[in-house]
Amino acid sequence: MEHKAPLVKFLGLTFNLSDMLMITITSLIVFIIAVAATRSLQLRPTGMQNFIEWVFDFVRGIINSTMDWQTGGRFLTLGVTLIMYVFVANMLGLPFSVHVNGELWWKSPTADATVTLTLAVMVVALTHYYGVKMKGAAEYVRDFTRPVGWLFPLKIIEEFANTLTLGLRLFGNIYAGEILLGLLASLGTNYGVLGAVGAAIPMMVWQAFSIFVGCIQAFIFTMLTMVYMAHKVSHDH
């Protein structure tokens, strides 16, 4: 079950080639879906346009549940990009994995804590950026001392905790799912026909459940992003 990651060193930095490959593939898939859904827009949407409009409406509902639309409307594109990217990333490792010379090349990029924590850091950094941009630096800093000044260190700790939990929640759910799928698949390869037959139904059930978990995690990641954003940019939080 243990497989090494394909690592290379460049200018003193270590790069995971598998993560780079899967991140690129995820980005390409999301880009292709977006282009296919919007290349021929019609007043009466059908097919892919219908799908992408449903995604926009779904994310619009998430934003409206966390902040007023006048404030949150500007984050619609961010929310749609996040939910599509995280969903596609969660799905890539479900059908199969690819190992070459003992190295794991094909997997869900979100099954790596480095990727999910990087996404979380980017999201939290964006919330700070928009908080300063929309409120001004002075007002934004004062929010860390409200309602009482001694809460300031606790709010700093909260920022780190939000970043860690946002990234590790996504990583833990996707990684655990792929580990169990790998264990079930090993039954067929290590225990012959009986192992394959015995693992077939649990494999299908767990893949269906993993699809559900992948959808839920994409929703939770996007929802929490908008919640954190609302806390930074809304005057009533």
Side-chain angles (χ1 to χ4, degrees), residues 116-142:
T116 58
L117 286 172
T118 301
L119 281 172
V121 169
M122 291 170 60
V123 162
V124 173
L126 272 177
T127 65
H128 290 294
Y129 167 77
Y130 278 105
V132 173
K133 180 180 179 181
M134 297 175 66
K135 288 184 173 180
E139 179 69 16
Y140 179 72
V141 172
R142 278 196 289 268

Side-chain angles (χ1 to χ4, degrees), residues 80 110 129 157 189:
V80 171
T110 44
Y129 167 77
I157 294 173
T189 57

Side-chain angles (χ1 to χ4, degrees), residues 32-58 60 80 84:
I32 291 170
I33 291 173
V35 170
T38 59
R39 64 178 180 177
S40 181
L41 297 177
Q42 300 175 356
L43 291 178
R44 292 187 176 182
T46 58
M48 288 294 293
Q49 183 183 343
N50 208 16
F51 163 76
I52 203 69
E53 289 194 10
W54 175 82
V55 174
F56 270 85
D57 287 340
F58 183 75
R60 188 178 290 111
V80 171
M84 290 181 64

Side-chain angles (χ1 to χ4, degrees), residues 141-156:
V141 172
R142 278 196 289 268
D143 281 344
F144 282 86
T145 62
R146 290 171 177 158
V148 288
W150 58 264
L151 286 177
F152 179 79
L154 295 179
K155 290 194 174 184
I156 295 299

Side-chain angles (χ1 to χ4, degrees), residues 80-124:
V80 171
T81 303
L82 276 177
I83 201 168
M84 290 181 64
Y85 185 89
V86 175
F87 172 75
V88 171
N90 292 347
M91 297 297 113
L92 287 182
L94 291 184
F96 55 85
S97 61
V98 175
H99 310 89
V100 179
N101 298 325
E103 295 178 336
L104 179 59
W105 280 87
W106 185 282
K107 61 173 184 175
S108 294
T110 44
D112 191 312
T114 304
V115 175
T116 58
L117 286 172
T118 301
L119 281 172
V121 169
M122 291 170 60
V123 162
V124 173

Side-chain angles (χ1 to χ4, degrees), residues 185-224:
S186 67
L187 290 178
T189 57
N190 297 332
Y191 298 96
V193 177
L194 289 179
V197 172
I201 294 178
M203 173 77 79
M204 289 187 290
V205 171
W206 189 253
Q207 281 200 327
F209 181 70
S210 294
I211 292 173
F212 171 74
V213 169
C215 294
I216 291 296
Q217 288 305 312
F219 164 73
I220 290 174
F221 194 93
T222 306
M223 170 65 82
L224 289 177

